[in-house]
Structure formats: C-alpha cells, structure tokens
C-alpha cells in the first residue's frame, strides 16, 4: 500500500475525522455493504452511528478505531471492540471494516487489518472474532489466517434488496 497512512483515532482526535468516517460508512451502505444498516441511509444516520455508538467506546478506551488516510480524506476504517465479559479478557471483536468505493483494491483493507492485529496484541487480545456477509471480505480474512467456523442463514437483511443474507462466523488466534 502506498500513499496511505493508518492512524489511530481516539476521543481527543475524533472530531477531526468524524465527517470522513461518516462519508465512508454512508458510501459503503449505499453501495450495498452489509454493515448493520439498510436504505434509506443518510449522512445524518451515519454521523449518529459514529457519535452515539463508537465515540463512547473511545472515551471508555474499550474500542480501537483505525482509519486509512489519503491526504485529508478517510479512505477506509476498521474497529476492534474490547468490551468483552470478564471471562473473555483475551477476545476482541473486529467490526466495520469498510473501504470507500473510490479507494478499493489498493491493499487498504489488508493494511488496516494488519494494523488492527498489532493493536489487539498490544492490548493483550489474542483471539479475534468477527462475522461477515461479504465474499470479498471473507477472501481477505482467510488470506490473513482467519478460520471459518460456519454460516448462519438469513442472518441480516440486505441493505438494498428485499432479502435476508447469511453471515459467516470467523476467528483468528494471534
Ligand atoms: C471488503 C473490503 C473492505 C475490501 O477492501 P479493499 O481495500 O478493496 O481490499 P484490499 O485491496 O486490501 O484487498 C484485500 C484482499 O481482499 C480480496 N478482495 C478485495 N477486493 C476484491 C474483489 N473486488 N474481488 C475479489 N477479491 C477481492 C482479495 O483477496 C484481496 O487480496 P489481493 O489483492 O492480494 O488479491 C471492501 O470491499 C469493502 O469495504 N466492502 C464493503 C464493506 C464490507 O463488506 N466490509 C466487510 C464487513 S465485515
């Protein structure tokens, strides 16, 4: 990956990035990404997610938020949620890996995931779990050493089409 920088966003720097993060999420959903939301999905909906769901985790330091920056533009993002129960201090959930459609196929998602794995190790998290409906993302996760546990049929509504898609549960031991 060249021309991009991976930055860790914390509560103190969040305001600088929130518009770019909202634009990436909104573009992803409008493009059909299965990342919790369905159409209609506005920039206001997107901002609300980052402010109401993600920011409290940054304040509590229970979430790691990474962004891939192309100059001042947020090209992609991923999160690690470490808000696990007391009996899972070693586990963390990978959430919302999204690369803006204009920046795909340049190795940004792979770079974000490798950086997220470093963050997980630094936090003492040695088991990563995730679920994904995306065949593209699955290929990436498998190439990074994630193992496929299985599929849950009709797990979530497609963001655009009137149908329910399966999700695939995956994990990686670091
Ligand atoms: C999945 C996604 C994050 C990949 O982002 P990206 O920056 O384009 O991915 P990369 O360039 O780092 O590619 C990494 C690997 O993913 C796979 N891949 C990415 N795009 C692909 C495509 N269009 N077709 C086939 N494989 C693809 C390849 O294995 C690729 O490795 P390679 O380039 O060595 O072949 C991006 O397509 C996206 O944001 N999708 C919508 C959101 C989503 O579904 N996220 C997953 C939620 S868990």
């Amino acid at each position: 990956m060249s021309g991009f920088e991976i930055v860790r966003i914390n509560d103190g720097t969040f305001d600088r990035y929130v518009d770019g993060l909202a634009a990436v999420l909104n573009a992803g959903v409008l493009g059909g990404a299965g990342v919790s939301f369905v159409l209609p999905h506005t920039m206001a909906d997107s901002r609300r997610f980052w402010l109401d769901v993600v920011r409290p985790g940054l304040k509590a330091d229970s979430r790691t938020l990474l962004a891939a920056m192309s100059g001042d533009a947020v090209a992609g993002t991923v999160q690690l949620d470490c808000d696990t129960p007391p009996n899972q201090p070693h586990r963390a959930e990978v959430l919302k890996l999204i690369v803006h459609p204009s920046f795909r196929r340049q190795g940004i998602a792979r770079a974000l995931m490798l950086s997220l794995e470093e963050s997980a190790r630094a936090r003492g998290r040695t088991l990563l779990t995730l679920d994904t409906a995306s065949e593209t993302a699955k290929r990436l996760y498998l190439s990074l050493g994630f193992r496929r546990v299985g599929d849950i049929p009709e797990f979530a509504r497609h963001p655009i089409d009137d149908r329910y898609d399966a999700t695939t549960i995956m994990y990686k031991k670091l």
Side-chain angles (χ1 to χ4, degrees):
M1 191 183 79
S2 64
F4 298 94
E5 183 193 6
I6 307 288
V7 297
R8 179 173 177 182
I9 300 171
N10 56 36
D11 186 44
T13 58
F14 179 82
D15 288 340
R16 202 183 305 164
Y17 297 100
V18 64
D19 287 340
L21 291 167
V24 169
L25 174 61
N26 185 240
V29 176
L30 297 185
V35 285
S36 305
F37 299 98
V38 294
L39 265 52
H41 187 264
T42 65
M43 275 294 286
D45 296 327
S46 193
R47 273 181 68 85
R48 205 170 306 120
F49 165 76
W50 293 102
L51 288 163
D52 295 354
V53 178
V54 180
R55 189 166 205 174
L58 299 181
K59 269 191 207 297
D61 197 30
S62 59
R63 247 177 224 238
T64 299
L65 170 59
L66 301 182
M69 302 301 297
S70 171
D72 288 339
V74 178
T77 180
V78 69
Q79 296 169 50
L80 187 73
D81 184 8
C82 297
D83 187 15
T84 48
N87 67 351
Q88 297 165 32
H90 61 309
R91 185 178 75 81
E93 185 83 6
V94 178
L95 296 174
K96 303 270 181 301
L97 173 67
I98 311 166
V99 173
H100 191 283
S102 312
F103 289 99
R104 288 187 186 162
R105 299 270 24 200
Q106 298 176 52
I108 293 178
R110 187 181 296 282
L112 281 165
M113 284 302 300
L114 291 172
S115 187
L116 198 72
E117 289 185 10
E118 282 309 307
S119 301
R121 282 193 192 90
R123 299 186 69 136
R125 303 286 166 149
T126 53
L127 175 64
L128 301 185
T129 54
L130 61 82
D131 71 85
T132 183
S134 159
E135 290 303 324
T136 304
K138 256 174 255 179
R139 201 166 301 128
L140 166 63
Y141 295 135
L142 286 170
S143 77
L144 288 168
F146 279 78
R147 308 221 15 205
R148 180 185 186 136
V149 178
D151 294 352
I152 302 175
E154 297 176 17
F155 184 77
R157 192 185 185 285
H158 187 274
I160 301 170
D161 302 335
D162 185 17
R163 67 163 202 263
Y164 283 77
D165 288 337
T167 200
T168 301
I169 311 291
M170 306 184 86
Y171 74 92
K172 179 174 179 178
K173 288 179 86 164
L174 295 179

